[in-house]
Amino acid sequence: MSVQAHTVPPTRDSSNGTSERLRNYVGGEWIEPAGGEELDVRNPATDQILARVPLSSAEDVDRAVTAAAAAFPAWRATPVLTRARALFALREKLDANREELAQLVTLDMGKTLDDARGEVRRGIESVEAACAISGELKGEVLEQVAGGVDVEMVRQPLGVVAAITPFNFPAMIPLWFLPYAIATGNCFVLKPSERDPLTARRICELVGEIEAIPAGVVNLVNGAHEAVDSLLTHPLVDAVSFVGQTTTARYVASRATEAGKRVQALGGAKNAFVLMPDAEPDAMVAGVLSSAFGAAGQRCLAGSVAIVVGDDAEQEATLARLVAGAEGLQVGAGADPATDVCPLVSPEARIRVEGMVAGALDRGAGLVLDGRREGGEAGAEMGPTIVEPADPADELLREEIFGPVLAIRRAPDLDAAIEIANSSRFGNAAMIFTSSGASMRAFRFGIEAGMLGVNVGVAAPIAWFPFAGWKDSFVGDLHANGRDAFAFYTRAKVVTSRWPSPAPATAGAAS
């Protein structure tokens, strides 16, 4: 199979405040979008303009999807082992550039450098898992289902698949989808968040350096609403993967399904901690603070409700430990090694989160720890904030905050804590801190969430397991990562066959 040359993008230095206009990656080339509108891409810590991102039009999306569709027949026909080796090359390319990618995540999204390094490492794990395609794509055979009849099932790629990814994990979440999609023989169109597209751009640059991945197999379209809607309705797109807030996930699922596409749409969360009085104190505090306030709470696996279990004295002791730990966290720029809590993605995000806190206080909530401030250099900083709402149905306990805010509930025992956690319409994750195996087992059995942590603050499964949100945290049937990913990007074909034996020769036929 011939491999087209991949053109490289113009040279640039994203750290010097350039107002470079980003391009789309289509058919192995970096091209100017037809869409004329654009947005500034800003460093959340400094408000520095890093680049300008174009808002691609339906015409731009069509160009990318058409390029992917043109590349599909040859890529589908590429032997599975060849595709696997291409992924091994991608894994090595990403690993060799992991520090640069992490620094881009910090520059573009704002999270601390250590957090960004962990994100990039998790993304590379997904590539490693997808390298197992030759084993995961094996079919099934049942011999002699009837006299002389065999049945076999094979898995084949869908065609062109798209991913619409959020701002909070600009490296990891695109890599949840890209490697599985192309490993299974599909061609791929990525629409990254318009808030921080630089990391996705760099990933596509690295893809373009791999000769074993032909032009058109991986494409990138920058944009916002019009680009999303165009991907959801384009007749050549066969499947859509999405990560974002629940209202948008439901919109994506509804619109794409109506257009006849397969969909996996990962939505929001309201993850609860169950803090038992027998928990090891230091591990509990470290786990809760890292989960609730790491990345400024901008994670779909962030714990945002702490259910403190025990009698009054035990509850107060647990809460005092959390407050003391949170007071010691350093707020600042993600690039500063001393920073524990990075800025939110924008000043507007901070204003929204602080507005949610103010609303709860107006409704009678107790302010346990106030992290509100002027916002720092760029107006996006907010410190750890702990609030105890007065009403169990308060918005702060029901809705995703996506900020460094921890809401407190109290429960006399584990059964009551599980009931509180299960009252949420979300079911992404839940975590328990305990020294009791019996409590852990009751929690595991009774909690209504797809990902559980036991003495672990962030219940993120490794890439060989599905990212298994429940309830309003997920719309679809097959999750991201693990075996679900291989199944999502392929469809089954079942063949029933009979091979009649030749009729015996009749007497005199040879004469």
Side-chain angles (χ1 to χ4, degrees):
M1 177 174 56
S2 63
V3 178
Q4 295 175 262
H6 296 258
T7 61
V8 297
T11 58
R12 75 279 182 273
D13 177 3
S14 298
S15 64
N16 66 3
T18 180
S19 58
E20 172 208 2
R21 188 173 192 258
L22 301 182
R23 298 180 180 185
N24 292 341
Y25 185 60
V26 177
E29 297 182 352
W30 293 94
I31 63 173
E32 286 285 349
E37 293 186 71
E38 57 190 36
L39 299 174
D40 290 336
V41 179
R42 295 177 179 271
N43 182 330
T46 65
D47 205 35
Q48 174 190 28
I49 297 176
L50 305 174
R52 291 171 293 120
V53 59
L55 303 185
S56 295
S57 64
E59 177 186 346
D60 298 314
V61 170
D62 179 68
R63 188 179 300 176
V65 173
T66 300
F72 173 64
W75 184 242
R76 177 198 174 187
T78 301
V80 168
L81 288 177
T82 302
R83 297 200 301 261
R85 291 176 186 129
L87 284 179
F88 279 112
L90 176 59
R91 187 265 174 209
E92 293 305 302
K93 186 73 69 173
L94 293 169
D95 188 62
N97 291 274
R98 67 164 61 201
E99 183 63 21
E100 179 196 1
L101 288 168
Q103 291 182 8
L104 263 179
V105 170
T106 294
L107 178 75
D108 205 11
M109 183 268 164
K111 65 179 59 175
T112 66
L113 192 53
D114 280 347
D115 198 2
R117 288 170 178 147
E119 172 183 345
V120 173
R121 183 173 63 251
R122 284 283 188 163
I124 292 172
E125 282 181 6
S126 289
V127 182
E128 292 168 345
C131 288
I133 184 62
S134 55
E136 294 293 342
L137 210 59
K138 290 188 298 184
E140 300 173 359
V141 177
L142 183 59
E143 186 182 53
Q144 199 70 359
V145 298
V149 178
D150 304 327
V151 177
E152 59 183 320
M153 186 273 288
V154 296
R155 303 205 67 90
Q156 296 183 342
L158 303 176
V160 177
V161 299
I164 302 162
T165 59
F167 76 86
N168 58 326
F169 285 93
M172 184 184 75
I173 293 182
L175 292 173
W176 274 3
F177 304 121
L178 186 159
Y180 294 101
I182 69 173
T184 48
N186 300 283
C187 292
F188 184 75
V189 179
L190 171 64
K191 205 299 286 182
S193 172
E194 64 275 19
R195 294 185 182 183
D196 52 1
L198 298 181
T199 308
R201 190 260 295 271
R202 183 59 182 141
I203 290 172
C204 285
E205 288 177 16
L206 296 175
V207 168
E209 295 174 8
I210 300 171
E211 290 188 0
I213 302 178
V217 171
V218 174
N219 305 272
L220 180 147
V221 176
N222 292 294
H225 304 294
E226 184 176 354
V228 169
D229 281 334
S230 299
L231 286 170
L232 298 182
T233 57
H234 198 290
L236 295 180
V237 173
D238 295 285
V240 176
S241 300
F242 170 83
V243 180
Q245 63 183 16
T246 293
T247 53
T248 310
R250 292 200 173 278
Y251 172 81
V252 165
S254 174
R255 194 84 191 273
T257 301
E258 286 175 358
K261 307 183 190 315
R262 184 176 292 186
V263 180
Q264 53 182 190
L266 288 70
K270 195 66 183 174
N271 307 313
F273 300 105
V274 173
L275 307 181
M276 300 298 291
D278 63 0
E280 198 287 315
D282 292 342
M284 178 197 69
V285 170
V288 171
L289 298 187
S290 173
S291 179
F293 305 126
Q298 299 171 118
R299 298 172 177 152
C300 61
L301 286 181
S304 59
V305 177
I307 305 171
V308 184
V309 181
D311 59 30
D312 290 346
E314 290 168 329
Q315 292 174 0
E316 290 301 328
T318 297
L319 191 54
R321 292 187 182 101
L322 293 178
V323 171
E327 287 176 332
L329 296 179
Q330 181 69 37
V331 182
D336 185 345
T339 294
D340 301 300
V341 182
C342 68
L344 280 87
V345 71
S346 68
E348 293 77 17
R350 176 188 62 81
I351 292 167
R352 177 189 57 78
V353 173
E354 290 187 352
M356 293 182 72
V357 171
L361 298 180
D362 289 343
R363 294 185 293 271
L367 185 60
V368 181
L369 178 64
D370 191 356
R372 294 171 296 175
R373 55 183 63 207
E374 292 300 317
E377 180 179 352
E381 291 180 7
M382 180 176 175
T385 299
I386 302 176
V387 180
E388 185 167 2
D391 183 352
D394 193 275
E395 177 189 43
L396 220 61
L397 292 164
R398 291 184 293 104
E399 300 301 327
E400 186 172 47
I401 302 171
F402 235 56
V405 179
L406 182 65
I408 302 298
R409 288 291 307 273
R410 298 172 187 253
D413 53 39
L414 178 58
D415 288 342
I418 291 174
E419 184 177 352
I420 291 170
N422 288 347
S423 66
S424 173
R425 65 188 177 95
F426 296 106
N428 218 36
M431 292 71 68
I432 187 171
F433 283 85
T434 182
S435 297
S436 166
S439 294
M440 172 269 174
R441 190 179 185 283
F443 173 83
R444 184 184 67 186
F445 184 82
I447 209 77
E448 296 172 0
M451 292 169 284
L452 306 185
V454 179
N455 298 320
V456 171
V458 179
I462 62 171
W464 287 262
F465 290 85
F467 196 87
W470 287 15
K471 298 163 75 171
D472 271 5
S473 294
F474 180 72
V475 185
D477 297 308
L478 294 166
H479 294 87
N481 275 325
R483 289 183 176 176
D484 273 23
F486 293 107
F488 179 79
Y489 287 120
T490 59
R491 52 189 169 192
K493 180 179 285 185
V494 180
V495 181
T496 303
S497 58
R498 172 186 282 138
W499 296 96
S501 299
T506 58
S511 58

